[in-house]
Amino acid sequence: MLIFWKARLVLMAVPKTGTTALEEALLPFADSAILNPPAMKHCTVRRYRNQLAPFFEQRRSRPMELVAVMREPIGWLSSWYRYRARAAIAGQPASTAGMSFDAFVEEWLSDDPGEPAQVGRQSRFLDYERGAVGVHHLFRHDRMEDLVRFLETRLSVDLDLPARNVSPEGDTGLSPEMEAQLRRDAPQEFALWDALCDGSLRLGG
């Protein structure tokens, strides 16, 4: 999470949406940064508003605009699955090595997912209360250039994003049956993504 106090912006670090590359490019321009521990770096919108906003926003007297990125839901899950299949964590409880993508998604959909599939949900990360999206600016991961232009304008900087924390290649083909179950059992993810893509998503924090 990066805080641009003078520009009144907070860049939220939604996991697996390119935030590591953004942090590297933007860190020199940030007024404050939370890079560790991971739970704080990937602070949700609700947690920011309830715990950190009073500090950074001086008890609401200097409100900040929240900025975030969302990834297409299946692509987001695929990135997590491939990232946790990397050799560096083979044999560890969170590893997806030897696990099919269908099995990973099925586990993620369960009420009590095993450690490999404990990756949260984008809709819950971005939620503030009662299903309302709690950010002012939400950008599509597949249109990162829109976010870059926005940040360059607001921060008066030129950005060159490096590739960081990229998931390894792997077979992530999802069966039609599992995709149908995913869309049925996680409708909030797809509704949010579809609204973002067609421009009908209302934002404003």
Side-chain angles (χ1 to χ4, degrees), residues 58-195:
Q58 300 181 324
R59 298 185 178 182
R60 313 296 185 186
S61 68
R62 188 181 173 84
M64 309 281 276
E65 296 177 32
L66 305 188
V67 184
V69 178
M70 182 181 184
R71 193 166 184 164
E72 189 279 324
I74 297 177
W76 184 77
L77 286 168
S78 171
S79 183
W80 268 117
Y81 168 78
R82 289 180 286 114
Y83 182 66
R84 291 195 163 180
R86 68 194 190 281
I89 64 168
Q92 297 184 22
S95 175
T96 58
M99 185 182 201
S100 71
F101 188 39
D102 268 29
F104 173 80
V105 171
E106 184 174 26
E107 189 68 26
W108 180 77
L109 287 170
S110 69
D111 293 333
D112 185 22
E115 193 165 339
Q118 291 177 11
V119 298
R121 299 194 178 202
Q122 292 183 98
S123 63
R124 292 175 185 170
F125 186 104
L126 296 166
D127 175 78
Y128 178 37
E129 59 181 356
R130 294 186 295 276
V133 176
V135 299
H136 301 83
H137 309 279
L138 184 60
F139 293 88
R140 291 167 48 175
H141 179 268
D142 62 346
R143 291 187 57 85
M144 196 67 78
E145 65 274 14
D146 293 342
L147 173 59
V148 169
R149 284 196 297 268
F150 171 81
L151 292 172
E152 287 180 330
T153 300
R154 289 293 297 266
L155 303 176
S156 299
V157 300
D158 292 322
L159 298 177
D160 181 20
L161 294 187
R164 292 290 182 270
N165 207 21
V166 178
S167 300
E169 294 296 328
D171 181 12
T172 56
L174 195 63
S175 70
E177 295 79 14
M178 184 51 64
E179 180 175 345
Q181 181 180 342
L182 174 61
R183 291 179 179 277
R184 182 180 66 248
D185 294 352
Q188 300 89 344
E189 310 304 308
F190 293 95
L192 181 55
W193 175 254
D194 291 344

